[in-house]
Amino acid sequence: MSTVDQQTLIDIRHLSKNFAVESAIFKRRKDYVQAVSDISFSIQRGQTFGLVGESGCGKTTVGKILVNLIRPSSGEIYFAGRELTAMPDAERRQLCADIQLIFQDPYSSLNPRMRIGDIIAEPIRTNRLLPKAAIEDRVSELLECVGLANYMRNRYPHEFSGGQRQRVGIARALALNPKFIVCDEPVSALDVSIQAQVLNLLADLREQFNLTYLFIAHGLNVVKHVSDQVGVMYLGRMMEIAPKTMLYNEPISPYTQALLSAVPSVDPSQKRERIILAGDVPSPINPPTGCRFSSRCFKKLEICDTVEPQITEVRPGHWCACHLADQ
């Protein structure tokens, strides 16, 4: 029996995912991309966990594993106390209604040959959630929830703006009354003015339906606006986890400090010293033997090149994988 706390909806333990790739030399051997490497974190019911990091750090892979699009190489995932990784496929598919995904691209994620009303109704019909006569009313209700008029249900995706298309994607994600939604960079493809509207909509829906989010994004300023807790990933590893106020005010990991230094300030009088990282991100096929960030770290110690730091609780609720944390 799981020992997961009742207030914890998602609990990830030592999750890893490797992808096999053929070697370029005569294709005689296979290498492995270490997309996600031994990460652990939990998300409380009704909260938003922000997951940030550079492109290729493994954020989206984590989201895809949670919605069962790909299977992990190792590790355990608990959803409401039930271990998803140990479930048979048939039983796990029954939980798909409780775990939904909002895609990054609001255009390519919608079928251009289907009307908006049919796109939103499709998961309801597929899962036989409602009788046929009630589906139309449910679609109208969902359109109203995301701020779209009911008459728009007969339009096609190309007739909408980017922000409106993302609202359709949100309505589709809500169709099965989920408990948990993975938001995979849901505003990165939108204009800045539209981003704020969609973020406010997600916040309102979380309160209205008691939703729990994993919010994946590049921008720390966006994550700060919507998250209760924030996790920072680098090259498949979790570098730091903390409540958002603690992480933004007292970051411990040099990588987190570098990311925060790049966030523009809204107050021109507050000048922030920019930390420029040297070098490129190492290959996930052959990561550094010690700390994953050691080749670019501006505070590197001798031990960083040989010993990989384990994530530990530095202060209550604040976790960090850095040798500097011990000091």
Side-chain angles (χ1 to χ4, degrees):
M1 181 177 291
S2 169
T3 58
V4 177
D5 186 87
Q6 292 297 315
Q7 295 302 314
T8 301
L9 183 64
I10 295 290
D11 189 38
I12 294 176
R13 302 178 181 179
H14 305 290
L15 184 69
S16 296
K17 178 60 182 178
N18 299 326
F19 294 98
V21 293
E22 290 183 341
S23 173
I25 304 175
F26 306 117
K27 298 184 180 181
R28 289 181 178 176
R29 66 181 178 86
K30 282 188 176 181
D31 291 322
Y32 290 89
V33 173
Q34 299 178 30
V36 178
S37 181
D38 192 24
I39 70 168
S40 301
F41 65 92
S42 60
I43 308 175
Q44 303 302 304
R45 296 176 186 269
Q47 292 192 346
T48 298
F49 187 97
L51 193 59
V52 298
E54 296 176 78
S55 296
C57 71
K59 308 184 301 296
T60 296
T61 301
V62 173
K64 288 182 177 180
I65 291 173
L66 287 175
V67 297
N68 202 28
L69 289 179
I70 56 179
R71 300 301 295 266
S73 301
S74 62
E76 300 173 345
I77 302 172
Y78 291 90
F79 176 76
R82 302 174 64 187
E83 186 180 356
L84 298 181
T85 45
M87 285 183 182
D89 288 341
E91 186 177 352
R92 191 171 182 178
R93 280 194 293 269
Q94 292 177 358
L95 286 178
C96 287
D98 289 332
I99 305 174
Q100 292 295 306
L101 174 66
I102 298 173
F103 294 91
Q104 177 179 357
D105 188 342
Y107 188 75
S108 62
S109 63
L110 303 177
N111 189 334
R113 293 185 174 89
M114 292 180 65
R115 291 181 172 87
I116 295 304
D118 293 329
I119 289 174
I120 297 173
E122 185 177 29
I124 303 174
R125 295 192 183 104
T126 302
N127 289 272
R128 300 176 181 177
L129 187 66
L130 294 173
K132 188 175 181 180
I135 293 178
E136 296 299 315
D137 291 337
R138 176 59 175 163
V139 171
S140 300
E141 179 186 340
L142 290 168
L143 286 170
E144 182 180 355
C145 283
V146 299
L148 296 176
N150 187 44
Y151 69 84
M152 295 180 175
R153 66 192 304 152
N154 293 319
R155 294 182 179 180
Y156 290 91
H158 72 271
E159 298 179 79
F160 291 84
S161 66
Q164 289 175 325
R165 284 195 290 263
Q166 193 60 291
R167 289 172 185 267
V168 174
I170 294 171
R172 179 176 58 185
L174 293 173
L176 299 181
N177 299 312
K179 298 176 182 177
F180 176 66
I181 298 180
V182 175
C183 307
D184 185 14
E185 301 188 41
V187 298
S188 62
L190 305 178
D191 295 336
V192 175
S193 59
I194 306 301
Q195 287 183 10
Q197 296 177 19
V198 174
L199 291 174
N200 290 333
L201 172 63
L202 290 172
D204 292 341
L205 293 174
R206 188 185 77 166
E207 296 298 324
Q208 182 178 353
F209 298 109
N210 193 29
L211 297 171
T212 304
Y213 292 146
L214 173 66
F215 193 93
I216 299 170
H218 287 291
L220 278 164
N221 52 346
V222 173
V223 171
K224 183 179 181 180
H225 181 69
V226 299
S227 301
D228 300 291
Q229 265 200 318
V230 180
V232 181
M233 286 188 69
Y234 179 80
L235 204 63
R237 292 280 289 177
M238 191 70 79
M239 306 300 288
E240 192 165 359
I241 304 172
K244 68 175 181 181
T245 303
M246 191 179 294
L247 184 121
Y248 281 79
N249 293 338
E250 302 177 78
I252 296 174
S253 169
Y255 179 61
T256 306
Q257 294 172 11
L259 289 181
L260 287 171
S261 74
V263 177
S265 175
V266 295
D267 186 356
S269 64
Q270 293 182 355
K271 294 185 178 181
R272 185 177 294 160
E273 183 180 353
R274 178 71 186 274
I275 300 173
I276 306 297
L277 298 178
D280 297 322
V281 180
S283 169
I285 297 177
N286 186 27
T289 54
C291 176
R292 298 286 175 98
F293 188 56
S294 61
S295 62
R296 305 175 70 196
C297 184
F298 55 95
K299 294 183 178 180
K300 184 172 70 171
L301 305 174
E302 186 176 346
I303 192 176
C304 298
D305 288 326
T306 56
V307 179
E308 185 171 20
Q310 300 303 308
I311 191 163
T312 56
E313 192 170 17
V314 181
R315 58 175 72 100
H318 196 157
W319 297 74
C320 185
C322 182
H323 293 298
L324 289 170
D326 300 331
Q327 303 180 8

